[in-house]
Amino acid sequence: MISKEVAHYLEQFIPERDEQIKEIERYAEQHHIPIMEIAGIETMLQLLKIAKPKRILEIGAAIGYSAIRMAKALPDANIVTIERDQGRYERALFYINKTGTSEQIRVIFGDALNVYNDVAKYAPFDVIFIDAAKGQYQRFFQMYEPLLQESGMIITDNVLFKGLVATEEPVENKRIRQLVSKIRRYNEWLIGRSDYETVILPIGDGIAISRKRGEKQ
Ligand SMILES: C[S@@+](CC[C@H](N)C(=O)[O-])C[C@H]1O[C@@H](n2cnc3c(N)ncnc32)[C@H](O)[C@@H]1O
């Protein structure tokens, strides 16, 4: 991961968000809702502006922050996002209405592992963004990759898990230790997939970008 000094230095260059977006950021902080780190989301938005996807699937909406940021950054894109927590799902709908992005964003309430048929109605997707339960990344990937268009992209957040995947130090907490092992296994599996080209960026909490090679390459 980059040093605290470098991260701090770079933060000054991150553009100011508008008041509605800052309100969602404040709500997330006050209610301990895990939304994407600012450097991570800015990097992902820049990448998406270059790739210009029209259809995005997000697994893990929380209160709609990243979906709204994507909708605002890509006015021609439609986003399907899944959330299993009812309170967060309702908050997401509230902020989506408030920010005028409801034409672009469809929130599906339920566990991502159970709503495949609902999601498939909106396929194929140009981008799939995985940002839900860390222990299930491989299952999400394998379940939804059939809905990705040829040469589409799968983005996974939190793949460095605060740097814990890279440290030799034993992790005390059993749950965290198990998650670290699962993310390590996911990263190794992902890099080993010869039908995708994957790069891991040490930005935010670590972002994996996996580009499907497609038949023509
Ligand atoms: C890190 S948060 C998502 C943050 C959001 N992408 C953002 O940056 O604004 C992860 C969310 O995924 C949800 N989640 C976890 N596992 C899930 C599953 N199997 N199906 C649907 N949602 C899930 C959690 O309830 C949580 O709100």
Side-chain angles (χ1 to χ4, degrees), residues 27-41:
Y27 181 93
E29 196 178 347
Q30 284 159 6
H31 295 84
H32 310 289
I33 313 275
I35 59 170
M36 233 184 151
E37 286 185 28
I38 191 70
I41 187 106

Side-chain angles (χ1 to χ4, degrees), residues 24 33-37 41 44 58-70 81-86 88-89 108-115 129-134 136-137 140 157-158:
I24 309 174
I33 313 275
I35 59 170
M36 233 184 151
E37 286 185 28
I41 187 106
M44 185 170 84
E58 174 182 69
I59 305 172
I63 55 173
Y65 177 73
S66 49
I68 292 167
R69 298 284 327 257
M70 290 192 278
T81 182
I82 312 168
E83 178 53 53
R84 69 177 174 189
D85 178 284
Q86 183 151 13
R88 291 180 184 180
Y89 161 75
I108 295 180
F109 175 51
D111 191 305
L113 298 172
N114 298 331
V115 294
F129 172 42
I130 301 175
D131 192 17
K134 294 180 189 60
Q136 309 271 13
Y137 279 178
F140 296 141
D157 194 25
N158 310 109

Side-chain angles (χ1 to χ4, degrees), residues 166-211:
T167 160
E168 299 288 311
E169 305 278 309
V171 179
E172 290 274 313
N173 180 304
K174 188 174 170 213
R175 196 184 76 86
I176 304 282
R177 197 165 60 236
Q178 285 172 341
L179 273 183
V180 171
S181 311
K182 280 194 172 166
I183 296 175
R184 278 189 186 134
R185 281 205 297 276
Y186 175 71
N187 288 342
E188 283 155 23
W189 172 82
L190 191 55
I191 297 286
R193 288 279 306 242
S194 56
D195 48 348
Y196 287 83
E197 253 179 325
T198 294
V199 63
I200 295 179
L201 303 179
I203 312 271
D205 199 25
I207 305 169
I209 298 162
S210 308
R211 201 175 61 88

Side-chain angles (χ1 to χ4, degrees), residues 13-24:
F13 299 124
I14 291 176
E16 257 310 271
R17 276 83 63 212
D18 68 33
E19 195 37 52
Q20 285 185 331
I21 297 295
K22 286 204 281 201
E23 182 192 329
I24 309 174

